[in-house]
Amino acid sequence: MTFRAPAADHQRIILLDVLEELLDATGASRVTLRQGEGFPVTHETLAPGIPSIRDESTVDLRTQPVALEVTAGRQVVQNDSRSAYDDPAFQHMLQAYGGLAAQIVTPVVRGGQVVAILSVHRLGQPHGWTERETQSCSDAASRIEGLL
C-alpha cells in the first residue's frame, strides 16, 4: 500500500522545495512566499541562524513602496535596500525583517492578476544581484504560478 499525502500537503512540499532551491541558487538569507489578503507570509525558507518573519505584524505592506510596485506586476531588484527609500515605514520594515540589506521581490501572476509575492532577502550587507539570480526569481515565480 502506498501512502499519498493530501493534495494540500503535496502542494506545500513542492512550494517549499521551490523556495529552498531559490535560497540555494541566490545565496539568500530568506525566501518567502506571500499570498492572500494583505499578502501575509504563507511559506518561508531560511538560511541557518536567520529569523523568521512569518509572524511579523508591525509592517503594513499596503503602504510599502516595494509591495506597491510588485502588486502592479513589476519585479523589484534592490542591491542596497537601505538606500532605496528614506520613508520611515520602509526603514522600519528593513529593521523588522532582521536587517534586510538587499532584496529581489517578484510578482506571481496568474490571469493578469498578482496572486502572490515571492521575496528573496539578503540580511546584513548590500549585495549586487546578478542577472542569473534575478532570472532565477522570475523562473521560480513561473513555477509557483503553476502550483497555485
Side-chain angles (χ1 to χ4, degrees), residues 1-85:
M1 181 174 191
T2 303
F3 172 76
R4 290 203 172 133
D9 289 344
H10 182 70
Q11 178 194 41
R12 181 179 174 279
I13 291 167
I14 293 172
L15 285 170
L16 287 173
D17 283 346
V18 172
L19 298 187
E20 188 70 37
E21 289 171 16
L22 191 55
L23 185 81
D24 292 341
T26 61
S29 305
R30 173 191 307 121
V31 178
T32 64
L33 182 66
R34 296 170 173 274
Q35 302 172 82
E37 182 68 32
F39 291 104
V41 174
T42 58
H43 300 78
E44 177 180 62
T45 188
L46 306 165
I50 299 301
S52 172
I53 60 170
R54 184 180 289 268
D55 296 324
E56 204 300 311
S57 61
T58 67
V59 175
D60 182 359
L61 285 185
R62 295 173 299 173
T63 63
Q64 288 293 327
V66 172
L68 295 172
E69 284 290 314
V70 174
T71 56
R74 295 182 286 275
Q75 184 181 57
V76 175
V77 178
Q78 293 178 341
N79 295 325
D80 184 358
S81 296
R82 294 174 291 191
S83 65
Y85 302 100

